[in-house]
Amino acid sequence: MKKLYVYITSSIYNIRHNKAYAAFVIFGTALTFIFISIVLQLTNEVVNNVPPFVNADRQIKIEAYRQYRSESGETGNTGFKLSEIPLFLKDVGNYQLCAIAYQTSESVFVNNRFLYRTLIAYVNGDYWRLNNFNFIKGRSFSEEETESNANVAIVSSAFADANFKTDEILGEKIELNNRTYTIVGVVGEYANLINYPAGIWVSYKSQPQNRLYNLDILPNKEVEIDEFKGDVLQAMKRHYAKKSIDLDMKSTEIVTLKESRIADVGGDVLSYGISIILLILLIIPAINIVAISIASVNNRATEIAIRRSMGASVFSSFILIIVENLLLVVVGVIVGISLSFPMIDLMNSLSTNMTAFGKISFISSNNIWTPILYTIPLALLFTLLSGGIPAYLIAKGKIAQVLKGDFNRNVSSNRRVSAIMVEQVLIFIILMISMVFITTTVDRYYEPGLVGVDNVVNFSCYRANSDDEVSRKMGILVEDLKKNSNVKAFSVEREFAPYYFYPKCDSVTIDGVIIDAFIKYTDENTLNVFGLELIEGGWFTKETIANKALEVVITQDIADKLNWNESVGRKISFNGVDHIVVGVLDGFRQNTFNKHRPSIIFPYVSNRVHTVSVRVKDVDTFTVDLYNQWNKLMKDNSITFNLAELERE
């Protein structure tokens, strides 16, 4: 204990007389451990039972729209319809809770404006019992409210903060699918980067019976998870056998929420990637500190040599020096961990989800023990990396050589130069990688084909079992648009708007060359709506569309692949029918840094109207008018109305 006291007092003395060096080490360490702490927190969110998902390692996750395969090679989606769930769960047995959820994005009307593509979760009562959400206001809806499909809703705190100017959120109204819901609870923020970041929760009973639902099943406490996976697998096989499907699935494909997260992130990323990232984060700043540490330790060379000449061992001399570095590293680690939490809050506050009205929380930022527990061994490793080499060289140095000054000159001229050279090589590699990334980004910025989407609104309407009535009423809406003074231009289309999540991509053979291209359909007004510019030829006309002319417009990259110097007048065969190229766009992409999309655009000749894009003067005014008009025409719970401001997509 007395020796430790000597080591510490000696280190503090040297720190006080070498403030610049101490400040450099503390700053470098703090910066390093800010990022290390964030990486550890992110990893913790994936692999541990972090609230609200406190059963992540035991709840079996069966996702809707995950692909299954049969023994004969057929594929399909693994979700369950509501009518199928009770019998399936009865067959599984040995479970205590089953959360049912259907998750989607829909337009919501609140405070006289639309929220575009808001993330909605339709859930049952077990969803709230299985997951330990933090209700900062109000409550979850009761089992009775859930089963009776009561008009009550729960919202996230991010949604509440973005859309209500009052703290008295409970009792406020939102309108979803022609129903007015009353807010009864507000859920606090949680790490939703690796989980579905819902903004609104309502009863699953408000969705059609034929939807496919996610299931999260929690086994009874005494049931081993591997045993329960086998039970679920056998129940699934019997379920599909009733549909004459021999399910080809192994128990390893039945996964917990934790296993699903790890698979989504990438198992190798967690196994090797995190370790590599942490090692890089430790090594690079440590090399910076090594170069400075050598100069600092050289100042103590004579002191160490005298101590050794008086009987001090190499080990005690090494410890004397390393304790100083350890004290500085500990201070830096404490500062780094402390700063990591406001950094996490900043990351969360700057991020937005696809609704543009809520936030993605990267990390819960409520678990201080994760960085503390894991950074203790990392801090010791960092101490050895940054100060161990200089300390060892001085402690091991020959006493006579050190006292004559030869050792200092040798270390200064050789070891320090070597350390700096290694550091510069690493920094050069990192800078080169950064330059490649920056160059690629700049090149993408200047790629052709940027589509003008400012003040462009896209809306669509569909019914589970689509019929002509929906199209007829959409046609009435289109006619009303012609009279709206707020409308500058509009087009009727299908799978054209750049934001469209699942555009149809086909392999098209042209002049013997196979090209993967996005297939889009639109009318004669699109040039005015999206501000498109042709570099060759022209666009469809009202007359050619009315006559169902077999025309297409292509992007320039398709012409380049075919080595066409002139494209207008060329033939493209699609689905066995020849079409004539009448125009060429230089490209087609929505956002500044989106990848360019090779596209073939056909005239929309159908009389059915389901999707419309509109360029308007004022978006908020238009969306309110549009919603009121649609409400009068189609007040029908089976019809889904989607509206998006493309600039926010």
Side-chain angles (χ1 to χ4, degrees):
M1 186 62 70
K2 186 176 180 180
K3 280 189 177 182
L4 180 61
Y5 176 77
V6 171
Y7 295 152
I8 293 174
T9 53
S10 175
S11 298
I12 293 174
Y13 175 84
N14 282 285
I15 290 171
R16 291 176 61 186
H17 287 80
N18 199 352
K19 295 184 178 65
Y21 165 71
F24 181 85
V25 175
I26 291 172
F27 176 78
T29 305
L31 197 61
T32 299
F33 278 85
I34 286 175
F35 293 105
I36 286 177
S37 180
I38 291 173
V39 170
L40 290 173
Q41 287 272 47
L42 280 169
T43 306
N44 178 62
E45 300 286 352
V46 174
V47 303
N48 290 326
N49 295 340
V50 178
F53 305 102
V54 293
N55 297 295
D57 62 342
R58 280 185 59 80
Q59 65 188 71
I60 297 297
K61 188 174 185 64
I62 303 175
E63 291 188 62
Y65 306 108
R66 275 285 176 99
Q67 290 283 300
Y68 71 77
R69 63 185 178 277
S70 68
E71 297 285 356
S72 59
E74 296 175 350
T75 60
N77 295 318
T78 57
F80 287 84
K81 297 178 181 179
L82 285 180
S83 58
E84 299 171 333
I85 294 173
L87 287 176
F88 172 73
L89 292 176
K90 184 178 180 181
D91 195 14
V92 171
N94 287 328
Y95 77 96
Q96 52 180 311
L97 295 171
C98 178
I100 300 172
Y102 171 75
Q103 298 160 321
T104 185
S105 61
E106 297 177 7
S107 299
V108 180
F109 195 71
V110 57
N111 283 344
N112 288 323
R113 64 169 179 162
F114 266 109
L115 309 185
Y116 312 100
R117 310 190 71 82
T118 302
L119 295 164
I120 314 294
Y122 296 88
V123 301
N124 68 341
D126 274 2
Y127 179 89
W128 303 108
R129 288 185 283 272
L130 178 64
N131 303 310
N132 186 25
F133 283 94
N134 174 33
F135 279 83
I136 58 177
K137 290 182 181 178
R139 57 176 177 82
S140 64
F141 31 75
S142 66
E143 188 67 31
E144 182 181 350
E145 288 171 324
T146 305
E147 296 303 317
S148 65
N149 195 14
N151 293 334
V152 292
I154 294 164
V155 300
S156 69
S157 58
F159 180 92
D161 293 341
N163 297 292
F164 296 97
K165 296 180 180 180
T166 175
D167 291 334
E168 301 300 324
I169 304 299
L170 303 182
E172 291 286 343
K173 309 293 183 182
I174 57 175
E175 192 164 333
L176 170 65
N177 290 335
N178 295 320
R179 293 181 63 181
T180 300
Y181 290 85
T182 301
I183 297 174
V184 297
V186 180
V187 167
E189 287 190 24
Y190 61 96
N192 55 31
L193 178 66
I194 55 172
N195 302 288
Y196 195 88
I200 300 173
W201 291 263
V202 295
S203 169
Y204 74 112
K205 289 285 189 177
S206 60
Q207 282 295 293
Q209 291 282 320
N210 60 355
R211 291 273 194 262
L212 292 180
Y213 284 80
N214 299 316
L215 301 183
D216 283 272
I217 312 171
L218 182 68
N220 290 326
K221 293 180 180 179
E222 68 277 4
V223 178
E224 294 292 333
I225 193 65
D226 289 337
E227 175 189 345
F228 190 67
K229 285 182 179 181
D231 294 340
V232 172
L233 175 63
Q234 294 306 315
M236 288 188 70
K237 287 187 173 182
R238 288 190 290 268
H239 170 77
Y240 284 100
K242 295 174 185 176
K243 301 179 180 182
S244 300
I245 298 172
D246 294 325
L247 194 63
D248 181 16
M249 183 178 284
K250 300 179 178 63
S251 59
T252 53
E253 297 176 70
I254 306 296
V255 296
T256 62
L257 174 59
K258 173 183 173 179
E259 291 166 339
S260 175
R261 287 174 180 170
I262 293 173
D264 289 341
V265 173
D268 290 340
V269 171
L270 286 175
S271 300
Y272 306 109
I274 297 298
S275 299
I276 293 171
I277 290 170
L278 290 176
L279 192 59
I280 291 173
L281 287 173
L282 287 170
I283 287 176
I284 292 177
I287 291 173
N288 279 297
I289 294 173
V290 163
I292 304 298
S293 293
I294 289 175
S296 176
V297 170
N298 282 345
N299 295 330
R300 304 187 65 184
T302 302
E303 173 195 346
I304 298 302
I306 293 172
R307 285 178 179 272
R308 286 196 56 203
S309 67
M310 296 174 65
S313 65
V314 172
F315 178 75
S316 64
S317 300
F318 174 82
I319 294 297
L320 180 67
I321 300 172
I322 205 69
V323 164
E324 177 183 345
N325 199 65
L326 178 61
L327 290 176
L328 295 174
V329 167
V330 168
V331 173
V333 168
I334 293 172
V335 173
I337 292 176
S338 301
L339 291 177
S340 69
F341 291 100
M343 183 66 71
I344 289 168
D345 290 337
L346 179 63
M347 290 167 57
N348 290 341
S349 66
L350 292 177
S351 64
T352 57
N353 63 23
M354 71 175 68
T355 70
F357 288 96
K359 297 180 178 63
I360 287 181
S361 297
F362 290 90
I363 306 169
S364 297
S365 71
N366 59 0
N367 188 353
I368 193 171
W369 293 110
T370 296
I372 288 177
L373 292 175
Y374 285 98
T375 52
I376 291 173
L378 291 176
L380 293 174
L381 178 59
F382 187 77
T383 300
L384 292 174
L385 287 173
S386 61
I389 294 175
Y392 177 77
L393 290 174
I394 293 295
K396 190 71 175 176
K398 294 180 180 179
I399 298 173
Q401 186 182 14
V402 172
L403 291 175
K404 286 193 298 183
D406 295 338
F407 181 80
N408 284 350
R409 287 192 294 272
N410 183 52
V411 171
S412 298
S413 61
N414 296 328
R415 304 292 188 184
R416 183 165 56 185
V417 170
S418 299
I420 291 173
M421 286 295 294
V422 172
E423 172 198 6
Q424 295 307 312
V425 168
L426 286 173
I427 291 174
F428 175 77
I429 293 171
I430 293 169
L431 286 175
M432 288 300 295
I433 294 172
S434 300
M435 286 300 297
V436 170
F437 173 77
I438 292 170
T439 303
T440 303
T441 303
V442 170
D443 288 344
R444 186 172 293 177
Y445 179 86
Y446 286 107
E447 270 191 9
L450 184 61
V451 176
V453 293
D454 54 305
N455 285 350
V456 176
V457 173
N458 176 277
F459 66 92
S460 61
C461 190
Y462 67 90
R463 189 195 298 267
N465 298 314
S466 183
D467 56 26
D468 292 333
E469 182 65 12
V470 173
S471 179
R472 185 185 71 80
K473 291 182 177 180
M474 283 287 285
I476 296 173
L477 276 181
V478 169
E479 290 300 314
D480 289 339
L481 292 177
K482 298 177 182 178
K483 307 170 188 176
N484 192 322
S485 61
N486 197 10
V487 173
K488 299 173 74 174
F490 70 89
S491 62
V492 178
E493 63 197 42
R494 180 161 67 93
E495 298 176 4
F496 181 82
Y499 81 94
Y500 198 84
F501 284 125
Y502 304 107
K504 186 177 181 182
C505 186
D506 275 319
S507 293
V508 182
T509 302
I510 308 171
D511 291 353
V513 179
I514 299 176
I515 296 175
D516 290 329
F518 290 99
I519 307 301
K520 297 175 176 294
Y521 301 85
T522 191
D523 66 12
E524 73 278 7
N525 300 312
T526 297
L527 289 179
N528 295 327
V529 175
F530 291 100
L532 302 175
E533 293 185 7
L534 294 158
I535 57 176
E536 184 183 346
W539 196 256
F540 318 122
T541 65
K542 187 174 183 179
E543 290 72 24
T544 58
I545 291 178
N547 294 328
K548 298 187 177 181
L550 301 177
E551 300 176 336
V552 293
V553 173
I554 64 173
T555 49
Q556 180 61 41
D557 51 355
I558 293 178
D560 292 341
K561 288 181 181 179
L562 298 168
N563 295 317
W564 287 352
N565 293 322
E566 293 183 0
S567 300
V568 173
R570 298 273 191 168
K571 289 184 179 180
I572 288 180
S573 181
F574 183 68
N575 289 338
V577 179
D578 287 338
H579 297 73
I580 303 297
V581 176
V582 296
V584 180
L585 293 169
D586 58 354
F588 192 87
R589 60 193 179 95
Q590 173 192 340
N591 293 323
T592 305
F593 297 108
N594 278 163
K595 287 184 177 179
H596 174 66
R597 289 179 166 181
S599 301
I600 302 176
I601 303 166
F602 294 82
Y604 187 64
V605 297
S606 173
N607 293 323
R608 298 177 68 86
V609 180
H610 283 292
T611 306
V612 180
S613 289
V614 190
R615 179 173 290 278
V616 299
K617 298 174 184 176
D618 182 80
V619 171
D620 290 337
T621 302
F622 174 77
T623 53
V624 172
D625 290 343
L626 177 65
Y627 185 74
N628 290 334
Q629 287 179 285
W630 175 78
N631 242 357
K632 294 175 184 177
L633 284 169
M634 291 183 251
K635 194 73 172 179
D636 184 340
N637 287 335
S638 66
I639 298 176
T640 300
F641 183 70
N642 282 327
L643 186 146
E645 184 182 349
L646 296 189
E647 190 175 11
R648 301 184 182 182
E649 291 296 323

